[in-house]
Amino acid sequence: MKVKICGLTNLADAQTAVSAGADYLGFIFYPPSKRAIEVAAARRIVAELRAAPQCPLLVGVFVNETAQKMAEVLATCQLDFAQLSGEEVPALVGDANSPVYGRAYKALRPASFAEAEAEAEWYLPPEYEAEFGRQQGEQMPPGLLLDTYHPTLRGGTGKTGDWSAAAALAGQIPGLMLAGGLTVAMWLRLCAVYGRLPWMWPVASKLPPVAKTLNWCASLSGWPSRRKASPYNAILSVSGK
């Protein structure tokens, strides 16, 4: 199991996440979000993180931004990947001519399982599965993010989605990241009933603040001390307050 901490806005929380063993850190570049951060502020935080002995993979979260602008932010802030959380077209992640090709993944908020399957076919790059197998998911972006449906919000609702559909997709899609309404009880139920979990798990939770949230993560599976030995190929991702 891997862990992604998202929505970070200050160095102290970012360093707390790193020291606790997070594999991915996320920064939101969408002003309407309550966890949004300015490019200059993210750049300063990342510079400190990159200067440390170990730095997680770093993700920029965008909503309906141009590919060129996303590529510029990735370069300016020294980020590894872009998460596309709006209504972006599949070509942004699947076209080799895209400025963020190979460095981006799409967040989906499907209203049904059929819609989730269709969107997964549109947005998962055709070569992703083979590459994921070769690299065992290391140093790669997620294949897709599956979040709870909401007619207007772009993630971060904390609402529980269709977990049975999510479990089914986890068996079909490599590098699947799952978000929305995670609790300890739900985590245990998924482990017991479905037996297979997604590769990355983003929790757009309302749990405050990061340090407390990390303790909550630890209760799930002995994270971080035992998470590397977990039989589930999952990434748990938590949003900071």
Side-chain angles (χ1 to χ4, degrees), residues 30 62-65 84-90 92 106-109 119 123 150-155:
Y30 179 56
F62 303 90
V63 175
N64 296 331
E65 190 56 85
L84 283 53
S85 294
E87 290 72 43
E88 298 86 359
V89 297
L92 286 183
K106 185 69 177 72
L108 309 178
R109 300 180 306 279
E119 291 188 347
Y123 285 101
H150 191 281
T152 58
L153 298 180
R154 272 60 177 259

Side-chain angles (χ1 to χ4, degrees), residues 108-125:
L108 309 178
R109 300 180 306 279
S112 66
F113 180 67
E115 186 175 315
E117 286 191 308
E119 291 188 347
E121 184 174 349
W122 296 337
Y123 285 101
L124 185 69

Side-chain angles (χ1 to χ4, degrees), residues 90-239:
L92 286 183
V93 296
D95 187 341
N97 293 318
S98 168
V100 292
Y101 177 75
R103 300 183 293 161
Y105 61 94
K106 185 69 177 72
L108 309 178
R109 300 180 306 279
S112 66
F113 180 67
E115 186 175 315
E117 286 191 308
E119 291 188 347
E121 184 174 349
W122 296 337
Y123 285 101
L124 185 69
E127 69 283 359
Y128 184 89
E129 185 171 1
E131 189 65 25
F132 186 89
R134 283 193 294 270
Q135 297 191 34
Q136 295 298 303
E138 296 301 320
Q139 303 297 309
M140 290 186 65
L144 293 168
L145 184 156
L146 183 65
D147 203 351
T148 302
Y149 172 76
H150 191 281
T152 58
L153 298 180
R154 272 60 177 259
T157 65
K159 302 295 184 182
T160 301
D162 184 350
W163 295 108
S164 60
L169 286 174
Q172 301 175 21
I173 300 172
L176 180 66
M177 175 166 48
L178 181 62
L182 178 64
T183 65
V184 173
M186 183 58 69
W187 173 271
L188 295 175
R189 179 177 174 229
L190 283 167
C191 291
V193 175
Y194 300 118
R196 180 175 180 127
L197 295 178
W199 178 68
M200 178 183 286
W201 202 311
V203 183
S205 71
K206 299 177 181 178
L207 299 174
V210 167
K212 180 178 179 180
T213 303
L214 293 175
N215 289 333
W216 175 82
C217 293
S219 69
L220 295 178
S221 63
W223 181 75
S225 61
R226 293 196 301 274
R227 69 187 178 92
K228 298 299 185 183
S230 170
Y232 305 106
N233 192 20
I235 291 185
L236 171 69
S237 174
V238 182
S239 290

Side-chain angles (χ1 to χ4, degrees), residues 4-137:
K4 174 177 174 283
I5 311 295
C6 196
L8 294 164
T9 58
N10 62 78
L11 180 60
D13 282 350
Q15 290 175 328
T16 298
V18 173
S19 65
D23 300 278
Y24 293 72
L25 301 183
F27 302 90
I28 299 175
F29 300 100
Y30 179 56
S33 172
K34 65 181 180 180
R35 295 186 294 269
I37 188 170
E38 294 290 336
V39 171
R43 182 180 182 180
R44 289 192 294 270
I45 294 172
V46 171
E48 294 285 343
L49 297 176
R50 295 276 186 205
Q54 294 184 328
C55 181
L57 293 170
L58 305 176
V59 179
V61 179
F62 303 90
V63 175
N64 296 331
E65 190 56 85
T66 66
Q68 186 60 45
K69 178 63 175 180
M70 288 188 287
E72 290 174 2
V73 174
L74 293 186
T76 299
C77 297
Q78 299 184 67
L79 303 176
D80 298 294
F81 307 126
Q83 175 180 309
L84 283 53
S85 294
E87 290 72 43
E88 298 86 359
V89 297
L92 286 183
V93 296
D95 187 341
N97 293 318
S98 168
V100 292
Y101 177 75
R103 300 183 293 161
Y105 61 94
K106 185 69 177 72
L108 309 178
R109 300 180 306 279
S112 66
F113 180 67
E115 186 175 315
E117 286 191 308
E119 291 188 347
E121 184 174 349
W122 296 337
Y123 285 101
L124 185 69
E127 69 283 359
Y128 184 89
E129 185 171 1
E131 189 65 25
F132 186 89
R134 283 193 294 270
Q135 297 191 34
Q136 295 298 303

